[in-house]
Each structure stands twice: as structure tokens, then as C-alpha cells.
Amino acid sequence: QTFTITVNPIPDINNVASQTVCNNAATSSINFSGSVSGTNYTWTNSNPSIGLSASGSGNIPSFTAINATGTSVTSPVTVTPTFGSCTGSPEIFGITVNPSPVVNSVSNQNVCTGSNTAAINFSGNVAGATYNWTNNNPSIGLAAIGTGNIASFTAINTGTTTETATITVTPVDPGSSCPGTP
């Protein structure tokens, strides 16, 4: 009588790079590999709120990252290699999703020519965000573009009809360069 004894190798996993993306941006796909051909990879994600399910097997396809908070969110992902009945050491990497900064509402102003406007101080959901703005009508006495708060200025109207300027503000998270929505 003959029989066999099969000795499987302990599978491993090559280093997996962590990723950092902005809210509503696509992640890079994550392809697992190791030195043992035929290894199966299972993974768990500790924070499914980023847009990735809590667990899965095989490679992780690109997905749209989500962060509805005002701070960065990092989710550790643990990948475990398995070959036959042998389990290798898990690898942990992170997916960080930076927030989309939002600018809080600013009240409209209505002033007479020669009067000072009220200063405009921008704020939003991301601490330290910067605010880039454009003005579609610089003839009112305000520059066409700027960054940061808008100081009080003397309103100008040299004509005989109402002049209106639309100021568009775009917040930017300086720590991640993630743009907000104007």
C-alpha cells in the first residue's frame, strides 16, 4: 500500500502600499501577490464608511472613496494569504480618505456707491482650509480673484443702473489639496 504526504508551503503576501485619496475620488485597484502561486487572499476592512465593503476575497477593484466628515479618515485593511490549509502572516495597509472642504453660506450685501461693504470671513467644515474666490464684476471695487477673507472695501458704481457682482468661493484643504465645491 502506498499513500502520500503533501506538505504545502506557508504563503506570504508582498507589501501592499497604503493609499490616500480625496472624497469622491477613485482609489487605485489593489492586486495582491506573493511567492506561492495559487495563494488565496482574504481581506477585512475596519471602516466600511469609506466606500469599501467590510470584507472580501481576491483583489480589491478601484472604488469611489467616501468621507462625509471634516477630517481625514483612515481605514486599516488586513489581508491574509491562504494556500491549502496553510495560512500566512497577514499584511495591514491603510486607505486614507481626505474630506471635501465646504464653505459656509455667506450673506448677500446691498450697499450704495461710496459706502463700505462688510468684511467677509470665510469658514467651513475643514479646519485650516483656504478659500480661493473669483469676482465676475471687478468694476464694483473688488479684485477679480483672491485668496482668503475679503476685507471691507468701498463699493463703486459709476453708472446709472444697478451693478451686481457674483463672488464664487472654492475651499481647499491645504493638508491634502482636496478641492471643495464652489
Side-chain angles (χ1 to χ4, degrees), residues 102-175:
V102 175
V103 63
N104 293 332
S105 295
V106 176
S107 298
N108 293 330
Q109 295 186 36
N110 190 350
V111 298
C112 297
T113 190
S115 298
N116 287 334
T117 64
I120 301 168
N121 296 312
F122 299 113
S123 62
N125 67 328
V126 175
T130 57
Y131 300 93
N132 299 325
W133 52 266
T134 60
N135 169 15
N136 74 339
N137 186 357
S139 70
I140 66 162
L142 179 63
I145 60 171
T147 299
N149 296 326
I150 299 175
S152 175
F153 64 93
T154 302
I156 299 170
N157 181 347
T158 59
T160 58
T161 60
T162 301
E163 287 285 334
T164 301
T166 300
I167 315 304
T168 302
V169 183
T170 303
V172 177
D173 179 355

Side-chain angles (χ1 to χ4, degrees), residues 9-10 19 37 44-45 47-48 64-65 67 74 86 89-90 104 117 132 145 160 166 172:
I10 299 294
Q19 295 185 36
S37 180
T44 57
N45 168 26
N47 189 351
T64 300
N67 180 350
T74 299
C86 301
S89 298
N104 293 332
T117 64
N132 299 325
I145 60 171
T160 58
T166 300
V172 177

Side-chain angles (χ1 to χ4, degrees), residues 1-180:
Q1 180 180 13
T2 62
F3 63 93
T4 62
I5 298 175
T6 302
V7 180
N8 290 319
I10 299 294
D12 60 0
I13 183 169
N14 293 328
N15 186 45
V16 179
S18 292
Q19 295 185 36
T20 300
V21 296
C22 295
N23 179 45
N24 290 323
T27 64
S28 296
S29 59
I30 302 164
N31 298 314
F32 303 117
S33 63
S35 61
V36 178
S37 180
T39 296
N40 294 313
Y41 301 97
T42 57
W43 50 267
T44 57
N45 168 26
S46 65
N47 189 351
S49 72
I50 66 165
L52 177 64
S53 62
S55 63
S57 62
N59 296 326
I60 299 174
S62 175
F63 64 93
T64 300
I66 300 169
N67 180 350
T69 72
T71 59
S72 295
V73 174
T74 299
S75 182
V77 178
T78 303
V79 185
T80 304
T82 305
F83 183 79
S85 60
C86 301
T87 301
S89 298
E91 168 86 10
I92 299 173
F93 66 96
I95 299 174
T96 299
V97 184
N98 291 318
S100 295
V102 175
V103 63
N104 293 332
S105 295
V106 176
S107 298
N108 293 330
Q109 295 186 36
N110 190 350
V111 298
C112 297
T113 190
S115 298
N116 287 334
T117 64
I120 301 168
N121 296 312
F122 299 113
S123 62
N125 67 328
V126 175
T130 57
Y131 300 93
N132 299 325
W133 52 266
T134 60
N135 169 15
N136 74 339
N137 186 357
S139 70
I140 66 162
L142 179 63
I145 60 171
T147 299
N149 296 326
I150 299 175
S152 175
F153 64 93
T154 302
I156 299 170
N157 181 347
T158 59
T160 58
T161 60
T162 301
E163 287 285 334
T164 301
T166 300
I167 315 304
T168 302
V169 183
T170 303
V172 177
D173 179 355
S176 68
S177 298
C178 292

